[in-house]
Amino acid sequence: MKKVKAIPAIVMLVAGVITCLFSMKKMRYAALDSLIMLLAVLVIFYLIGSIARMIISSILKKVKEEEEARLREEELLKKQQEEEEQEGQEEQEEAALEEEAL
């Protein structure tokens, strides 16, 4: 989950670097125009990263819940099988005792 927290910052910083390189090398904007454009890009991509983080977090939470439910179900099945085996052994022992008594 800690890795998911960094998504907005990573997306924002990558977009900022690309914007800086693009505005300085290709477009030759004035410094103020470049800074305004950079600020807008950082805010927009931070919001996009935050939305992506929320979506990924919800997916991971659902997967974790499904995994826990599956593990609980497996444990219940295992306990039921063990109980059935014990009951079967008890029945066999009782049958053996009855045969010996006769």
Side-chain angles (χ1 to χ4, degrees):
M1 289 301 217
K2 289 183 180 183
K3 294 178 182 178
V4 176
K5 284 185 174 182
I7 289 175
I10 292 171
V11 170
M12 178 184 70
L13 291 173
V14 169
V17 167
I18 292 171
T19 302
C20 285
L21 294 174
F22 188 71
S23 67
M24 290 180 178
K25 297 290 182 182
K26 300 286 182 182
M27 298 302 223
R28 302 280 183 194
Y29 288 111
L32 183 60
D33 292 338
S34 292
L35 289 175
I36 292 171
M37 185 175 17
L38 177 62
L39 178 63
V41 166
L42 291 176
V43 169
I44 290 168
F45 278 91
Y46 183 79
L47 294 173
I48 291 171
S50 295
I51 293 168
R53 181 188 66 201
M54 286 187 291
I55 292 169
I56 292 170
S57 293
S58 68
I59 291 170
L60 290 175
K61 185 177 178 180
K62 287 178 185 178
V63 167
K64 184 178 179 181
E65 289 173 354
E66 289 173 358
E67 181 69 19
E68 290 173 352
R70 186 183 60 79
L71 289 174
R72 282 192 301 265
E73 189 174 312
E74 286 178 358
E75 288 176 7
L76 287 174
L77 289 173
K78 188 176 180 181
K79 286 181 183 179
Q80 288 175 349
Q81 289 175 349
E82 289 174 356
E83 290 173 358
E84 290 174 358
E85 288 175 2
Q86 287 178 349
E87 289 175 3
Q89 289 175 354
E90 290 173 358
E91 289 176 1
Q92 288 176 355
E93 291 173 0
E94 289 175 4
L97 289 174
E98 288 176 5
E99 288 179 9
E100 287 178 9
L102 295 176

